[in-house]
Structures are given as C-alpha cells and as structure tokens.
Amino acid sequence: MEKTFTRVHSIKDIVIFISLLILGGILVAVPTSDAVNITGFFLIFAGAILALVLKTGYKDIETNAKYQKIERYFQQAEHAAISSAIASKPDSVDLSKENNGNAIKLDIYYSKATGKAYIQLFEYVPYTYQPCSKMYEYEISKVGKLIK
C-alpha cells in the first residue's frame, strides 16, 4: 500500500494564528501607549509568520482525509520485535522501551473521523530515515495503545 501524506494546517494551527492576528489588531487599534501598539504589530507579524510555516496536520493525497501524526523512537535492537508486531498486532508493541534510542522510528498517522490508522517503520541511515516496512492500515481501535 502506497500512501502519501502532506503537511497541512490543523484546526489548532488556524486558531493560534488567527488569535494572534486578531489580538494584534485590537492592540494596534486601541488608542493607548506606543508600547502597546508596537506589541500589537509584533503579534500581527508573529501571526502572519505562523500562518505561513505552522502546519501540524497531515492530509492523505488520495482521499483528502486529515490525519494526525505520532512518532515513536526505539533502539535498533527492537527492530525485529516492532516489525513483527506492526505486521499482525500493533497494540503489542512494547512502549516501555520507547525513547531509549533513535535508530528506529515508528510513524503512526491516525484520524478519528475516518476511523483509520496507518503505521510504518523507518530505520536511521546517516542523515535520514529510510522506510524498512510497508505501510499497514488498521482500524483506529486496534492501535489505541500507540496513539495515547
């Protein structure tokens, strides 16, 4: 299965940068000291920059469904166990061994709206992570432990 996800604005991102723009506009419009007006301009500037760069959501290219992403990191020694676990029963991944290394990365894309989750394992090759498993599709109920 070949799934491609692109980064998009999530609802949380939109709320953050619109709030900064509105608050900055209010501070500029209110007739107070110059310091408050300058703060308003900085908030407007920060909101505009965040509108351009802040993208924490993901979108499936084929279906246009929006997903959230979680990354989990493991030691190289866990490669075989994680690889076999995500192929059959993803809830059996031992999260107590997480964050002891970063040679293996487990990407989980999930959407509560669609009820689907996609899991793929990556291995660190100098300067980049290369996929070392195919992308697996599961119902979100089967990966509940991984996304908490």
Side-chain angles (χ1 to χ4, degrees), residues 8-10 58-60 64-68 110-111 113-114:
V8 295
H9 293 293
S10 67
Y58 291 85
K59 180 176 77 169
D60 182 1
N64 286 334
K66 292 197 178 182
Y67 288 83
Q68 295 176 334
Y110 67 96
S111 172
T114 63

Side-chain angles (χ1 to χ4, degrees), residues 46-120:
I49 295 295
L50 287 178
L52 297 173
V53 298
L54 187 63
K55 294 182 178 182
T56 60
Y58 291 85
K59 180 176 77 169
D60 182 1
I61 297 286
E62 296 172 8
T63 64
N64 286 334
K66 292 197 178 182
Y67 288 83
Q68 295 176 334
K69 180 181 177 184
I70 293 179
E71 295 177 346
R72 301 202 179 267
Y73 295 91
F74 298 92
Q75 290 180 345
Q76 180 68 34
E78 299 298 317
H79 183 278
I82 294 171
S83 185
S84 65
I86 66 170
S88 59
K89 190 176 178 194
D91 265 352
S92 66
V93 173
D94 187 8
L95 294 180
S96 66
K97 297 181 180 181
E98 181 185 11
N99 292 329
N100 290 332
N102 61 355
I104 301 295
K105 178 175 82 161
L106 183 64
D107 282 355
I108 304 129
Y109 296 93
Y110 67 96
S111 172
K112 293 180 181 174
T114 63
K116 293 183 182 180
Y118 296 94
I119 301 174
Q120 188 170 20

